[in-house]
Amino acid sequence: MVLHHKYEQVFVFDDDTIPHLNFSTLFNKLSDRCRQADALLLGAAINHKSREQWPSGSCFDADSRTYGSFALLVKKSAFVPILDWLRTGEEAPFDTVYGHLRKRGINVRVAYPPFLVIPDVSHPSLVNKY
């Protein structure tokens, strides 16, 4: 659909995404670094033992420990690489697409601080029961 309609960018939100109370204001204040990302995670789960190990800075680059597909802003430049990854038939959580995108030179960044969305964790996850 995004290719057919020639969209320049799209928001993708999971059904259990909770936007920040000031989402619109915060989104409109995003830095140029965020706006330049081909795929921008609007929230993330950073899989490090402590926050000090997180990538630093505003709107940091996603790394191999960055997860969270619950809300994204995806630009046209990432549409085909994402579709190519999906067509491989690899059965893996969508979050693993970020590594594929980075290998193809696609900028994947995380809008932070603060996260603009969080996932609703009030119910069991289908991906990880912990």
Side-chain angles (χ1 to χ4, degrees), residues 6-21:
K6 300 180 181 173
Y7 293 136
E8 292 297 316
Q9 58 187 1
V10 294
F11 280 111
V12 180
F13 290 89
D14 280 0
D15 62 347
D16 61 351
T17 298
I18 302 171
H20 192 287
L21 180 63

Side-chain angles (χ1 to χ4, degrees), residues 24-72:
S24 296
T25 301
L26 292 170
F27 181 80
N28 288 328
K29 291 182 177 180
L30 287 175
S31 68
D32 287 340
R33 179 169 169 70
C34 278
R35 295 189 181 281
Q36 293 166 357
D38 299 299
L40 180 64
L41 285 71
L42 301 174
I46 311 300
N47 193 18
H48 288 282
K49 290 183 179 180
S50 71
R51 189 175 175 285
E52 288 76 31
Q53 294 175 320
W54 283 18
S56 63
S58 176
C59 201
F60 57 81
D61 292 338
D63 65 13
S64 62
R65 294 177 180 250
T66 306
Y67 298 93
S69 59
F70 40 92
L72 305 167

Side-chain angles (χ1 to χ4, degrees), residues 1-12 74-80 82-83 87:
M1 183 176 83
V2 295
L3 297 177
H4 174 75
H5 290 290
K6 300 180 181 173
Y7 293 136
E8 292 297 316
Q9 58 187 1
V10 294
F11 280 111
V12 180
V74 183
K75 289 187 179 174
K76 181 179 179 179
S77 52
F79 294 165
V80 171
I82 290 172
L83 292 171
R87 289 182 186 121

Side-chain angles (χ1 to χ4, degrees), residues 81-96:
I82 290 172
L83 292 171
D84 289 346
W85 178 82
L86 289 169
R87 289 182 186 121
T88 66
E90 179 183 340
E91 290 191 27
F94 182 79
D95 306 88
T96 59

Side-chain angles (χ1 to χ4, degrees), residues 81-125:
I82 290 172
L83 292 171
D84 289 346
W85 178 82
L86 289 169
R87 289 182 186 121
T88 66
E90 179 183 340
E91 290 191 27
F94 182 79
D95 306 88
T96 59
V97 74
Y98 307 138
H100 168 78
L101 294 175
R102 286 191 313 271
K103 287 178 188 171
R104 293 190 60 177
I106 303 293
N107 291 321
V108 181
R109 296 194 175 124
V110 179
Y112 180 83
F115 292 139
L116 302 183
V117 299
I118 59 170
D120 177 1
V121 294
S122 64
H123 55 82
S125 170

